[in-house]
């Protein structure tokens, strides 16, 4: 909701805090302020009014009432009031984890235009008619908590409880993850909504997302084929697995599907129960930062070079890499090696790709000229 | 391991150390557990076809769960009090996909129902969780908020770089949720519920610097091999 700072100010005789300070106070005590925009001689606050208060006719006046409560300025009690309720001060303190005196609780509520009469450990309260959201003790506790400041409520530890056992399902899933990750498979998460199936979505997002999946295999096979287009060598294996729900025969079932190339096996998880406990710690790679990769087409090139027998392939690969520059996205990967006399021939494969465009052959040719020159400078013979 | 599996695994282990049982529930949910049991009004827009995937035949009132809180509602009805549970899982929203929106994503929902549970404990619980997950130096900002199934309701932001990012909605379980689960007696005896629903996908995006949520569900080895 866009509310003008000047319009809020009109409800007060004294000057309000500067707009950014006011925005922080509103965020801390009632509604998140998404931003402040300068418009002419005014500043417009973009306030995310919560659904329980977002009624027709909501205006700067409603915000001004909240600002008065936050700043502890005299409340406007001129309007009509709801019937009286009785709430227990202890109930509010117990819910918030605070220990406020009855007079403090009454004070916070009065700042919100609520009429309050202290009656021992209870309060008789009457909320303004526009506050239809104030019906039960919990509602009033929310008001006290936010004016006190939820950020300021001191945390209290929960009592310790023994570490629970894993469910058989959780134990099975952990075991299977550990097993397939150790065997070099990569875990994938597929889509539940598919072009065909038994359970139909009433209003699908797209015609190819109209049904719930009946198996994990179909999508996994698509992904195997897709990933195959990004490998350096035809023989490179694509090894994927997924643990997920399928919807078949009126049932919702957990399945495991394992793809070793285009050979895919899918089973119900319940057939794989009774497994030992597995530890997944070594598969957590916490300090990774994602590196964006290009979705543009790649160009593959090979290079073979004769070097003296005492030169390691890694040394040659390093040199190629240093010459190839940033268009080189994969490799050089050694794929052939043989000795003849006092020389060794190494053959490498590389993939080139740009982040933002389709690479042209001539750009890669220029890179290869540099690579060849770098190798020849060492006195090595590049095989033509 | 898949980046979402990494976040889920570390999160559930932290909660298990705090006595929370890991649980799960159906992805096809009833209107009752997804909405009615959570004090969501009958005319609430979230119930509409434009937000929720309803399933055919419509007369069955079945849907793809829109939040993991449905599992918490099931557990409360089935097991009563006291308990501590955490349920990670897949949820669905009928919204067009782009770099920050997916029709399917993951949430981690938690509910602890104990005698005298309070908001100060909820703050301790969630601060403890995010510190153990993301490091002791993390900065928090608690704000008031509103969710129909809690009262009071709060949200927690964490500071990432120079921005505050909302990571969890939480609050004290609403008495109407106890009632819908048939647990008025427990409520009258002083049992209260600490409820929270945390993002998984967004947390993974923040943690690993991922700029497109769709990468999680692309099955692309150029992405997955980085983790």
């Amino acid at each position: 909701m866009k509310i003008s700072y000047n319009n809020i100010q009109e409800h007060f005789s004294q000057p309000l805090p500067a707009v950014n300070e006011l925005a922080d106070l509103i965020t801390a005590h009632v509604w998140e302020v998404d931003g402040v925009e300068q418009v002419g001689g005014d500043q417009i606050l973009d306030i995310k009014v919560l659904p329980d208060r977002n009624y027709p006719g909501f205006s700067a006046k409603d915000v001004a009432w909240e600002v008065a409560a936050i700043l502890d300025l005299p409340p406007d009690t001129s309007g009509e009031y709801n019937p009286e309720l009785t709430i227990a001060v202890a109930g509010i303190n117990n819910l918030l984890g605070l220990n406020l005196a009855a007079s403090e609780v009454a004070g916070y509520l009065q700042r919100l235009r609520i009429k309050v009469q202290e009656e021992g450990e209870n309060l008789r309260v009457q909320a303004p008619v526009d506050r239809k959201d104030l019906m039960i003790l919990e509602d009033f506790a929310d008001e006290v908590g936010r004016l006190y400041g939820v950020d300021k409520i001191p945390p209290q530890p929960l009592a310790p409880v023994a570490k629970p056992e894993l469910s058989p399902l959780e134990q099975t899933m952990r075991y299977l993850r550990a097993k397939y990750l150790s065997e070099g498979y990569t875990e994938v998460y597929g889509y539940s909504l598919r072009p065909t199936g038994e359970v139909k979505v009433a209003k699908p997002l797209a015609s190819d997302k109209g049904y719930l999946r009946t198996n994990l295999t179909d999508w996994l096979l698509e992904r195997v084929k897709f990933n195959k287009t990004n490998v350096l060598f035809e023989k490179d294996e694509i090894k994927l697995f997924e643990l997920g729900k399928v919807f078949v025969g009126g049932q919702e079932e957990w399945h495991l599907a394992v793809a070793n190339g285009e050979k895919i096996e899918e089973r119900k998880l319940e057939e794989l129960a009774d497994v030992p406990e597995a530890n997944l710690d070594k598969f957590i790679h916490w300090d990774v930062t994602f590196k964006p990769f290009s979705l543009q087409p790649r160009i593959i090139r090979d290079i073979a070079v004769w070097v003296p027998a005492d030169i390691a392939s890694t040394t040659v690969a390093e040199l190629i890499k240093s010459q190839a520059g940033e268009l080189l996205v994969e490799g050089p990967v050694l794929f052939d090696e043989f000795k003849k006399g006092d020389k060794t021939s190494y053959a490498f494969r590389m993939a080139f790709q740009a982040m933002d465009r389709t690479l042209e052959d001539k750009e890669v040719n220029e890179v290869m000229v540099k690579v060849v020159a770098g190798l020849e400078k060492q006195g090595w013979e590049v095989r033509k | 391991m898949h980046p979402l599996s990494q976040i889920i695994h570390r999160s559930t282990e932290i909660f298990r150390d705090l006595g929370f049982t890991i649980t799960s529930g159906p992805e096809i949910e009833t209107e009752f557990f997804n909405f009615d049991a959570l004090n969501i009004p009958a005319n609430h827009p979230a119930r509409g076809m434009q937000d929720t995937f309803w399933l055919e035949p419509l007369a069955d009132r079945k849907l793809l769960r829109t939040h993991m809180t449905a599992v918490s509602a099931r557990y409360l009805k089935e097991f009563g009090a006291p308990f501590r549970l955490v349920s990670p899982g897949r949820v669905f929203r009928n919204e067009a996909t782009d770099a920050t929106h997916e029709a399917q994503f993951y949430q981690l929902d938690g509910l602890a129902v104990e005698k005298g549970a309070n908001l100060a404990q909820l703050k301790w619980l969630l601060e403890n969780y995010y510190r153990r997950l993301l490091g002791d130096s993390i900065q928090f900002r608690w704000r008031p908020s509103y969710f129909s199934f809690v009262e009071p309701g709060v949200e927690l932001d964490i500071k990432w770089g120079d921005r505050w990012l909302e990571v969890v909605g939480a609050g004290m379980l609403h008495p109407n949720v106890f009632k819908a689960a048939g647990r008025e007696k427990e409520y009258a005896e002083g049992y209260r519920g600490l409820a929270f629903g945390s993002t998984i996908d967004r947390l993974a995006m923040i943690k690993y610097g991922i700029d497109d949520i769709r990468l999680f569900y692309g099955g692309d080895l150029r992405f997955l091999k980085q983790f």
Side-chain angles (χ1 to χ4, degrees):
Chain A
M1 187 97 43
K2 309 265 188 187
I3 302 287
S4 138
Y5 178 76
N6 289 352
N7 287 352
I8 302 170
Q9 176 68 72
E10 281 167 16
H11 293 270
F12 299 92
S13 51
Q14 62 274 65
L16 292 176
V19 68
N20 287 322
E21 193 188 327
L22 191 72
D24 286 347
L25 286 169
I26 293 172
T27 295
H29 293 288
V30 52
W31 300 301
E32 190 181 7
V33 178
D34 254 355
V36 177
E37 196 191 349
Q38 182 80 36
V39 177
D42 197 358
Q43 281 131 333
I44 307 300
L45 293 94
D46 186 3
I47 301 177
K48 277 168 80 177
V49 176
L50 295 167
D52 58 335
R53 300 274 296 279
N54 194 357
Y55 41 74
F58 186 95
S59 71
K61 188 165 87 170
D62 299 81
V63 179
W65 282 335
E66 286 297 330
V67 169
I70 295 165
L71 299 174
D72 198 7
L73 300 172
D76 170 9
T77 53
S78 60
E80 301 282 306
Y81 275 78
N82 289 333
E84 188 176 276
L85 301 166
T86 299
I87 55 173
V89 172
I92 290 182
N93 277 324
N94 290 344
L95 204 57
L96 297 174
L98 290 173
N99 194 13
L100 303 171
S103 58
E104 288 177 276
V105 173
Y108 285 121
L109 295 176
Q110 280 162 342
R111 281 159 61 173
L112 287 158
R113 303 180 294 134
I114 297 164
K115 290 184 179 169
V116 185
Q117 280 184 291
E118 285 182 53
E119 204 175 67
E121 285 309 300
N122 289 331
L123 301 176
R124 285 176 23 219
V125 294
Q126 258 190 297
V129 280
D130 55 280
R131 294 301 309 274
K132 299 218 174 353
D133 57 309
L134 298 180
M135 304 295 287
I136 56 173
L137 178 131
E138 279 78 1
D139 299 329
F140 290 90
D142 183 66
E143 303 297 288
V144 172
R146 68 184 179 83
L147 271 197
Y148 179 90
V150 286
D151 206 51
K152 293 198 189 82
I153 295 175
Q156 287 175 23
L158 275 174
V161 167
K163 186 170 179 168
E165 296 290 309
L166 289 177
S167 67
L169 171 70
E170 188 67 23
Q171 186 140 330
T172 305
M173 293 210 283
R174 289 186 181 193
Y175 171 82
L176 294 170
R177 281 203 172 93
K179 171 179 159 65
Y180 288 103
L181 290 169
S182 335
E183 292 175 12
Y185 288 83
T186 300
E187 186 184 20
V188 297
Y189 280 37
Y191 282 99
S192 299
L193 293 169
R194 298 282 298 162
T196 57
E198 297 171 11
V199 182
K200 192 172 189 299
V201 174
K203 184 175 168 284
L205 271 173
S207 59
D208 62 348
K209 293 174 182 165
Y211 292 87
L212 285 166
R213 61 185 175 185
T214 56
N215 65 72
L216 304 177
T217 297
D218 293 351
W219 184 82
L220 212 52
L221 181 60
E222 288 172 22
R223 292 296 94 187
V224 169
K225 289 176 176 166
F226 165 77
N227 281 300
K228 198 77 190 177
T229 63
N230 292 323
V231 296
L232 273 184
F233 302 97
E234 188 55 32
K235 63 176 172 45
D236 288 350
E237 285 178 341
I238 305 294
K239 294 168 79 176
L240 309 175
F241 74 99
E242 179 173 8
L243 289 161
K245 283 270 184 81
V246 303
F247 304 83
V248 63
Q251 298 289 320
E252 188 170 322
E253 292 172 356
W254 277 105
H255 278 202
L256 163 75
V258 181
N260 190 352
E262 295 191 12
K263 192 171 130 293
I264 302 178
E265 283 184 46
E266 178 161 353
R267 295 179 70 181
K268 288 186 198 182
L269 274 203
E270 61 186 36
E271 295 169 3
L272 301 161
D274 294 327
V275 294
E277 204 160 320
N279 190 314
L280 290 171
D281 289 350
K282 68 174 170 187
F283 304 109
I284 303 271
H285 302 123
W286 201 241
D287 292 320
V288 171
T289 300
F290 167 63
K291 286 183 217 65
F293 54 88
S294 171
L295 299 173
Q296 307 291 335
R298 311 200 303 177
I299 292 179
I300 307 285
R301 289 295 168 88
D302 294 345
I303 192 166
V305 58
W306 285 110
V307 298
D310 61 335
I311 302 288
S313 68
T314 48
T315 307
V316 184
E318 285 299 321
L319 186 70
I320 293 172
K321 213 167 180 173
S322 70
Q323 297 295 317
E326 60 185 19
L327 294 177
L328 177 71
V329 291
E330 195 177 348
V333 175
L334 182 71
F335 68 91
D336 189 40
E337 159 177 12
F338 65 90
K339 283 194 163 53
K340 195 173 172 188
D342 58 353
K343 285 185 174 177
T344 306
S345 165
Y346 293 123
F348 299 92
R349 181 162 287 183
M350 294 160 282
F352 296 90
Q353 194 177 29
M355 276 307 281
D356 53 347
R357 65 188 194 284
T358 300
L359 265 192
E360 289 181 41
D361 268 327
K362 67 171 192 201
E363 290 176 87
V364 179
N365 292 347
E366 285 164 20
V367 174
M368 291 305 289
V369 166
K370 258 182 81 181
V371 170
V372 168
L375 295 171
E376 286 177 343
K377 210 172 147 193
Q378 301 292 319
W380 302 339
E381 182 195 343
V382 175
R383 297 172 61 196
K384 297 281 158 60
Chain B
M1 189 152 58
H2 193 286
L4 297 178
S5 293
Q6 296 198 28
I7 301 268
I8 291 170
H9 182 71
R10 282 209 53 194
S11 298
T12 50
E13 279 307 281
I14 291 168
F15 280 109
R16 208 153 70 94
D17 282 342
L18 295 165
F20 284 69
T21 300
I22 307 171
T23 185
S24 64
E27 290 180 12
I28 293 183
E29 192 47 279
T30 61
E31 181 174 31
F32 177 77
F33 284 114
N34 199 77
F35 292 124
D36 301 338
L38 296 172
N39 196 35
I40 295 170
N43 59 355
H44 195 281
R47 294 193 187 222
M49 288 253 205
Q50 61 278 19
D51 287 324
T52 297
F53 287 117
W54 290 90
L55 302 174
E56 293 191 350
L58 286 172
D60 286 356
R61 308 306 287 162
K62 295 276 184 69
L63 49 84
L64 295 179
R65 67 181 173 202
T66 63
H67 45 197
M68 290 306 290
T69 319
V71 176
S72 297
R74 279 182 174 272
Y75 204 93
L76 179 65
K77 187 171 165 70
E78 196 169 337
F79 295 101
F83 63 80
R84 293 178 186 180
L85 72 84
V86 66
S87 47
R90 180 174 288 199
V91 301
F92 302 85
R93 301 275 168 91
N94 194 350
E95 59 184 11
T97 56
D98 61 29
T100 53
H101 298 90
E102 252 296 355
Q104 65 177 39
F105 53 97
Y106 280 77
Q107 280 183 346
L108 180 88
D109 212 84
L111 179 62
V113 178
E114 324 201 328
K115 232 172 206 168
N118 66 44
L119 193 65
Q121 292 172 331
L122 180 62
K123 286 187 65 175
W124 179 86
L125 173 66
L126 291 174
E127 290 188 3
N128 198 319
Y129 160 55
Y130 287 107
R131 277 208 192 94
R132 287 177 67 176
L133 188 71
L134 299 171
D136 280 336
S137 59
I138 204 87
Q139 284 185 62
F140 299 111
R141 182 176 80 173
W142 289 90
R143 292 182 284 109
S145 192
Y146 173 79
F147 308 97
S148 62
F149 40 90
V150 292
E151 192 75 68
V154 292
E155 269 176 286
L156 175 60
D157 300 332
I158 58 171
K159 195 143 195 194
W160 203 260
D162 56 356
R163 285 192 303 158
W164 287 106
L165 297 168
E166 175 197 324
V167 287
V168 64
M172 300 302 299
L173 199 67
H174 197 288
N176 288 352
V177 178
F178 280 92
K179 198 174 163 190
R183 300 291 171 188
E184 297 102 318
K185 187 166 152 283
E186 284 84 347
Y187 178 80
E189 287 166 359
Y191 284 96
R192 294 294 180 270
L194 312 178
F196 60 90
S198 178
T199 158
I200 295 294
D201 299 57
R202 273 196 55 207
L203 201 59
M205 290 173 80
I206 297 166
K207 174 72 190 83
Y208 295 115
I210 296 162
D211 55 3
D212 193 329
I213 190 173
R214 293 168 294 195
L215 288 166
F216 294 130
Y217 309 102
D220 190 332
L221 287 172
R222 293 171 296 180
F223 172 74
L224 296 165
K225 290 264 193 193
Q226 296 190 23
F227 305 91

